[in-house]
Amino acid sequence: MSIIFSHSTARSYHRSPWRSDAGELALRQRAQAPQGALYRSDLIEARNALAASGVPGESLEIVDVLVRSANRRRQLAGARAHVLGGELEADALLQIAPGVLVTDIRLTALLSAQDLTFLELVEYYCEICGAYDLPSEPETSYRERAPLTTVAELSAYFERMANRVRGSKTARRALLYVREGLRSPLETAMVLMLVLPRAMGGFGMRSLLTDHRLEIPPHARHLTRRSFLVCDAFLPASRIDFEYHGFGHDEEEQATIDDERVNTLRAMGIRVIAIRRWAFFDGAAFRRFAGAVIREAKIARTRLPHRFEQRQDELRRFVLRRYLSDT
């Protein structure tokens, strides 16, 4: 009997720093969700395999598993069964131990449309297309790593699975707001504030580019030690560079580099709007940042929806929910 972990359990596995190399463990044939019932002994062994892969204990109290049909579900404490009938694509499952499988990052992303809210889904896609893992506990720091997938890869996979997996339409809509190359949870928070629709508290900047490289023209090369600059988030039409400054930017050497960067960008005719980590945690400071965005991007306040500031603050609280419970 095999067990396939999915949904929140698969997300925890893919966030684990000890997870095995998915390329080596991907199943090289088409696979089906198991047809047999799920028994407690199977579950205990499978949980042990997840724990050995670095999945934290609190994520193992209730696990998500795939079954092939509704009549294969079995009431079992500590497990949620999800029905996924039919064949899966090759390499859609990863074997982490004999008889213990986990949905790969593409299928995990698609199934996440079934149990995450829309905002959580966009945030999750930014994470897996970015260069970090969210911490398993609020007081711990995020972990840097290479991107797990790309928007193009997810888009193609979601399209192929459109008629086979519930939630495909929501997943494809969420991808419209996902940007690649983000390096931290709060850099993602800044980008979500900029790209999400105004009805959700964002600024609706759909043309925003992230991790965008700018070559330095000859007339500005004497202002910096670099031959090119990479913008956290760049708005081409308005020529604005939005920058998130985390803890590392407080160091004196980095602050000097930041000053050179701003001077160089200004010489290139590009305006810079920066937000520091603490501004997300201080409502008044964040409103001043939002005011700078409105002014520099020439957004007419009459075009903003009713109660926009309230919606924006709700979005700010959403992105901070893991850090402070009373922000």
Side-chain angles (χ1 to χ4, degrees):
M1 171 64 188
S2 61
I3 290 181
I4 301 177
F5 289 114
S6 65
H7 294 76
S8 66
T9 308
R11 291 194 293 271
S12 294
Y13 171 80
H14 288 293
R15 283 174 174 146
S16 169
W18 301 346
R19 64 178 178 268
S20 301
D21 187 336
E24 292 180 359
L25 296 180
L27 300 182
R28 299 303 177 185
Q29 70 275 340
R30 293 188 181 275
Q32 293 182 337
Q35 299 186 42
L38 177 62
Y39 294 98
R40 183 170 180 78
S41 58
D42 300 321
L43 193 59
I44 291 174
E45 292 182 12
R47 275 185 172 140
N48 290 338
L50 285 175
S53 297
V55 177
E58 58 270 23
S59 298
L60 299 177
E61 293 177 3
I62 299 178
V63 293
D64 292 281
V65 298
L66 290 183
V67 296
R68 190 170 182 185
S69 60
N71 62 4
R72 298 292 180 182
R73 284 177 172 169
R74 179 184 177 90
Q75 294 299 320
L76 186 64
R80 283 185 296 255
H82 305 267
V83 176
L84 182 65
E87 289 187 338
L88 302 174
E89 286 197 347
D91 303 343
L93 302 176
L94 311 177
Q95 180 174 282
I96 63 172
V100 182
L101 312 174
V102 177
T103 53
D104 84 325
I105 194 63
R106 300 165 306 160
L107 182 55
T108 298
L110 181 52
L111 293 174
S112 293
Q114 299 176 358
D115 70 332
L116 295 182
T117 67
F118 187 77
L119 285 179
E120 289 170 341
L121 192 64
V122 176
E123 182 187 57
Y124 178 60
Y125 290 171
C126 284
E127 174 193 345
I128 62 179
C129 293
Y132 66 93
D133 282 319
L134 283 174
S136 56
E137 299 176 356
E139 61 271 16
T140 58
S141 179
Y142 66 91
R143 185 179 66 90
E144 296 180 357
R145 49 104 178 110
L148 301 182
T149 185
T150 65
V151 170
E153 184 178 37
L154 291 179
S155 180
Y157 184 74
F158 293 173
E159 196 69 34
R160 293 196 303 272
M161 300 294 287
N163 297 321
R164 288 191 265 176
V165 177
R166 178 173 57 87
S168 298
K169 183 177 180 180
T170 300
R172 284 180 288 167
R173 185 164 66 92
L175 277 182
L176 297 175
Y177 305 103
V178 176
R179 298 297 183 272
E180 297 177 328
L182 304 178
R183 293 178 289 275
S184 73
L186 286 181
E187 186 177 329
T188 292
M190 179 190 73
V191 169
L192 293 184
M193 294 285 183
L194 297 172
V195 302
L196 283 170
R198 294 176 183 179
M200 293 184 180
F203 283 109
M205 297 178 179
R206 292 282 294 275
S207 62
L208 192 77
L209 304 173
T210 54
D211 205 27
H212 182 65
R213 175 169 169 154
L214 291 174
E215 301 295 334
I216 299 176
H219 73 270
R221 287 176 185 162
H222 67 289
L223 298 174
T224 178
R225 66 195 75 183
R226 305 186 185 280
S227 59
F228 65 89
L229 298 174
V230 177
C231 301
D232 286 346
F234 183 66
L235 193 62
S238 302
R239 293 185 64 76
I240 300 175
D241 170 35
F242 299 95
E243 291 293 316
Y244 168 67
H245 288 174
F247 289 125
H249 290 264
D250 294 333
E251 299 174 3
E252 187 173 353
E253 181 178 359
Q254 184 60 49
T256 300
I257 294 173
D258 290 341
D259 291 342
E260 292 178 356
R261 174 193 178 85
V262 170
N263 293 335
T264 304
L265 288 170
R266 285 175 177 168
M268 296 166 60
I270 295 172
R271 290 165 289 171
V272 179
I273 301 178
I275 183 170
R276 292 189 177 273
R277 185 179 190 276
W278 179 248
F280 281 103
F281 295 83
D282 184 288
F286 184 80
R287 284 190 292 275
R288 289 191 288 272
F289 165 75
V293 174
I294 291 171
R295 182 184 64 253
E296 295 298 326
K298 296 181 172 55
I299 298 173
R301 291 188 177 272
T302 55
R303 301 292 299 273
L304 297 175
H306 178 59
R307 300 173 66 186
F308 177 72
E309 284 191 2
Q310 179 180 334
R311 297 181 190 185
Q312 194 169 63
D313 192 61
E314 290 170 354
L315 180 57
R316 182 183 69 89
R317 290 171 181 269
F318 165 79
V319 299
L320 291 179
R321 68 196 184 283
R322 296 182 181 87
Y323 300 94
L324 294 175
S325 58
D326 57 351
T327 302

